Amino acid sequence: MPGEFSGEFKSWLRKFPHRYAVTSGENLKDLKQVAGHFQKLSKLASELSPKTMTVVAVGGGSVGDFAGFFASVFKRGVRLVHVPSTWLAAVDSSHGGKTALNISGVKNQIGTFYPADKVLLVRSLLMGQPEIRVKDAMGELAKIALIDGGPWVRRLKRNSLVGSDLLWNFLKPAIQAKMKIVDQDPREKTGIRQVLNLGHTVGHVFETAYGWPHGQAVSQGLFFALEYSVADGALKSRDALEIYDLLEKKFSLAREWPHRPLSARRFSDLLLQDKKRSNGNQITFIFLSRIGKPMRRSVTVSNILREARRQGVVAK
Ligand SMILES: NC(=O)c1ccc[n+]([C@@H]2O[C@H](COP(=O)([O-])OP(=O)(O)OC[C@H]3O[C@@H](n4cnc5c(N)ncnc54)[C@H](O)[C@@H]3O)[C@@H](O)[C@H]2O)c1
């Protein structure tokens, strides 16, 4: 739980009869740690009826994933409310019902689909975040804008808002755009929902290999996917330049490749751990052919590896 809540928000928190503080981050989602937490939580909840009990998850995406998972399995499921405290959780992770835990450092290996009964967006809580958290969320906001391309994206391009103001003002249409896709494929059965993984395949490689925050890793994964889309012939160079301009001016995102390229072996291993692997050596990669037109395509690991070498992400 972050320690910088406003007085008003702190007094709201004090109204809850049972509170349980955790330290945010990937360790919280680690399967080994989870058992200890669940024992303490189940003790805390021992006198509560599962019929009336509600888990209120206050925190960033890691807290949401952890608490959402707990709510989904405790007594076979109790009520869940998300109060996202990071922009990334507000714009993305608290919506859509995915919960996730990590095994031995490999992200999101266990999870459930468990949409929250409510998601409360608290302006004062979100606006009080440091600049670094704003940066974390811009990749996910940019991602959903590129996938959806609806009228709100044209409004977003035209207005002069930036940073937290941009995020707050475009939270609602960005969430609606995500939910429009989730509702067509809530349990990722048909594959439609996979388009939300734009930027995530290589983003997750960066996140694990370099320990970058999820949001920043995803924005770099987005640059990789755009370059790959151009190289693949799906996206015209002219359109790509327009998108790069938008990413820089509106979302303050720039391509910042790691100084140290990965070895081919490390890159492939991390790619193959990705849960979006379709079968064997094939991975469903999300390309973009223009704003509002994502495309799912099955590609081989060696094809992505070749592209990663070309882009300088993997050592030549
Ligand atoms: N379930 C999903 O659909 C989904 C989608 C995207 C990401 N995720 C997951 O979300 C996680 C990333 O989320 P995140 O970026 O919110 O990270 P996080 O939960 O680790 O929080 C990042 C940091 O922000 C701090 N923080 C939280 N609220 C704050 C506040 N109001 N003010 C100041 N600091 C605050 C935390 O203490 C932490 O240090 C990853 O584990 C990722 O896998 C899940």
Side-chain angles (χ1 to χ4, degrees):
M1 216 191 265
E4 299 161 45
F5 291 151
S6 68
E8 196 187 3
F9 193 72
K10 274 189 191 143
S11 13
W12 179 74
L13 285 179
R14 276 196 286 270
K15 290 186 183 154
F16 290 91
H18 302 284
R19 291 187 298 276
Y20 185 76
V22 291
T23 303
S24 322
E26 291 309 305
N27 270 348
L28 176 64
K29 291 172 54 175
D30 187 86
L31 188 63
K32 281 205 187 114
Q33 316 264 343
V34 164
H37 284 300
F38 280 18
Q39 265 168 1
K40 290 180 199 150
L41 281 165
S42 100
K43 217 168 164 189
L44 200 67
S46 59
E47 284 157 22
L48 302 176
S49 151
K51 287 205 178 80
T52 53
M53 175 179 157
T54 302
V55 170
V56 181
V58 182
S62 59
V63 175
D65 273 359
F66 163 83
F69 184 84
F70 176 76
S72 72
V73 293
F74 187 66
K75 309 274 184 191
R76 298 204 176 83
V78 296
R79 241 176 90 82
L80 171 68
V81 173
H82 280 306
V83 184
S85 71
T86 62
W87 283 116
L88 186 130
V91 76
D92 187 39
S93 65
S94 57
H95 316 279
K98 277 191 181 177
T99 79
L101 300 179
N102 307 336
I103 303 182
S104 309
V106 185
K107 278 187 67 82
N108 305 338
Q109 296 300 294
I110 295 185
T112 51
F113 289 100
Y114 203 68
D117 296 281
K118 264 193 185 131
V119 180
L120 305 179
L121 301 169
V122 184
R123 188 173 191 277
S124 59
L125 177 60
L126 294 170
M127 292 305 265
Q129 284 176 83
E131 203 48 41
I132 185 79
R133 300 278 88 84
V134 173
K135 198 173 172 198
D136 282 352
M138 282 301 178
E140 294 284 6
L141 179 65
K143 177 202 83 177
I144 194 66
L146 293 180
I147 292 171
D148 187 71
W152 69 279
V153 180
R154 288 192 283 283
R155 278 203 316 281
L156 181 144
K157 279 190 200 164
R158 276 200 307 267
N159 79 75
S160 59
L161 297 171
V162 287
S164 300
D165 293 323
L166 179 81
L167 282 161
W168 179 255
N169 278 279
F170 285 92
L171 260 188
K172 194 172 163 194
I175 294 164
Q176 282 169 338
K178 175 173 182 179
M179 292 311 294
K180 202 167 70 187
I181 295 164
V182 170
D183 289 344
Q184 295 172 63
D185 183 18
R187 297 176 79 86
E188 223 163 73
K189 285 276 190 275
T190 64
I192 292 172
R193 188 174 174 159
Q194 285 181 332
V195 298
L196 292 171
N197 293 330
L198 178 68
H200 281 63
T201 305
V202 171
H204 279 156
V205 171
F206 289 147
E207 188 176 356
T208 309
Y210 299 106
W212 292 351
H214 176 82
Q216 289 171 37
V218 165
S219 37
Q220 294 308 310
L222 200 54
F223 280 103
F224 183 92
L226 291 169
E227 278 285 308
Y228 195 4
S229 302
V230 174
D232 185 71
L235 176 67
K236 292 194 182 86
S237 304
R238 195 188 52 223
D239 294 342
L241 289 177
E242 199 190 308
I243 294 172
Y244 292 143
D245 194 53
L246 178 72
L247 292 178
E248 187 190 331
K249 299 218 170 94
K250 211 64 240 178
F251 301 100
S252 312
L253 295 174
R255 203 173 81 160
E256 292 164 31
W257 264 192
H259 298 306
R260 190 172 35 91
L262 293 169
S263 69
R265 163 63 71 88
R266 177 87 171 123
F267 185 85
S268 312
D269 285 351
L270 292 173
L271 263 189
L272 287 167
Q273 283 171 357
D274 197 89
K275 63 190 179 310
K276 267 73 72 179
R277 177 148 50 126
S278 44
N279 60 57
N281 214 22
Q282 299 276 324
I283 284 184
T284 305
F285 195 91
I286 312 301
F287 295 88
L288 192 81
S289 61
R290 61 181 158 81
I291 298 183
K293 271 266 172 260
M295 293 182 333
R296 281 179 285 145
R297 194 179 297 162
S298 185
V299 287
T300 59
V301 170
S302 49
N303 198 308
I304 304 184
L305 190 59
R306 205 175 315 127
E307 177 60 14
R309 276 209 184 92
R310 194 190 68 82
Q311 291 197 32
V313 167
V314 164
K316 294 212 164 110

